[in-house]
Every structure is written in structure tokens, then in C-alpha cells.
Amino acid sequence: MECNQCEGIELETKQWVAYSLKKFRKNRLNKATRSFINALLTLGVEGRTLLDIGGGIGVIQYEFLAAGASRAVSVEASSAYLMAATEEAARQCSSCRTFGRL
């Protein structure tokens, strides 16, 4: 059975994901996200593990890993966000030996 509402939501989500990824790649995070990241970075993330529930395209994960976190795990319900986060992580970490999703 098809669900027109679900298909419409998925299409809108894909468009929002593409927009968010484009902004992130141009280093244009919104003020709230940048403030949140900066506040947590001041506490120190070196060697820590991040669990981000609703991790979106992975902005917080990438920032923490770049600042020295040892591992980042993202839990995301949206297939569009999962795909974008996986592709961006592979792009950023082309030399990583392992990357995957559960």
C-alpha cells in the first residue's frame, strides 16, 4: 500500500537535507547549533564518545571528531538524513578504515 503523505514528507525531507548539507559545507551553521557546539567544546571532548540522537546530517559529530573525540554515534530515524550523514562522513574521512551504520 502506498502512502502519499509519507512520500510527500520524504521528498520535503530530502530537499531540507540537501539545503542543510550545502550550508554545512559552506561552514554556515545556524547560531543555536554553533553556540551549542562551542559550549560543549569548552567542556572538552578529547577522547570522549558522542551519542547524538536525532543526529541529522552529522554536524555535531563532525565538529566533535575534529576536536579530538574518539568516536561519534548517530541515531536517526530519517533515511534521507542517514544517507546524507553516511555520505558526508565518508567524504570527510576518506582515509578511515571503517565506517558503517547499524
Side-chain angles (χ1 to χ4, degrees), residues 25-38:
R25 287 181 177 167
K26 290 183 176 182
N27 200 25
R28 294 189 338 227
L29 300 178
N30 69 46
K31 187 176 180 178
T33 301
R34 176 53 58 204
S35 295
F36 177 70
I37 291 169
N38 289 340

Side-chain angles (χ1 to χ4, degrees), residues 1 7 11-12 16-17 19 21-22 29 36-37 40-41 43 51 65 69 71-73 89-90 96 99 102:
M1 176 175 4
E7 290 172 7
L11 177 60
E12 280 192 37
W16 179 252
V17 169
Y19 173 75
L21 194 55
K22 183 178 179 179
L29 300 178
F36 177 70
I37 291 169
L40 291 176
L41 290 177
L43 298 174
L51 170 61
L65 289 167
R71 185 169 183 227
V73 177
C96 293
F99 179 80
L102 300 175

Side-chain angles (χ1 to χ4, degrees), residues 30-67:
N30 69 46
K31 187 176 180 178
T33 301
R34 176 53 58 204
S35 295
F36 177 70
I37 291 169
N38 289 340
L40 291 176
L41 290 177
T42 62
L43 298 174
V45 298
E46 186 78 30
R48 295 183 181 243
T49 298
L50 168 71
L51 170 61
D52 191 355
I53 299 172
I57 62 171
V59 171
I60 296 170
Q61 298 89 309
Y62 309 135
E63 296 285 329
F64 276 39
L65 289 167

Side-chain angles (χ1 to χ4, degrees), residues 2 4 7 20-21 24 30 32 37 45 55 57-58 62 68-69 83 93 95 97-98 102:
E2 293 184 23
N4 291 334
E7 290 172 7
S20 298
L21 194 55
F24 171 70
N30 69 46
I37 291 169
V45 298
I57 62 171
Y62 309 135
M83 186 181 306
C93 189
S95 63
R97 291 180 309 194
T98 59
L102 300 175

Side-chain angles (χ1 to χ4, degrees), residues 1-17 78-81:
M1 176 175 4
E2 293 184 23
C3 173
N4 291 334
Q5 181 180 6
C6 296
E7 290 172 7
I9 291 170
E10 186 68 16
L11 177 60
E12 280 192 37
T13 301
K14 286 180 181 178
Q15 292 169 343
W16 179 252
V17 169
S78 165
S79 61
Y81 277 111

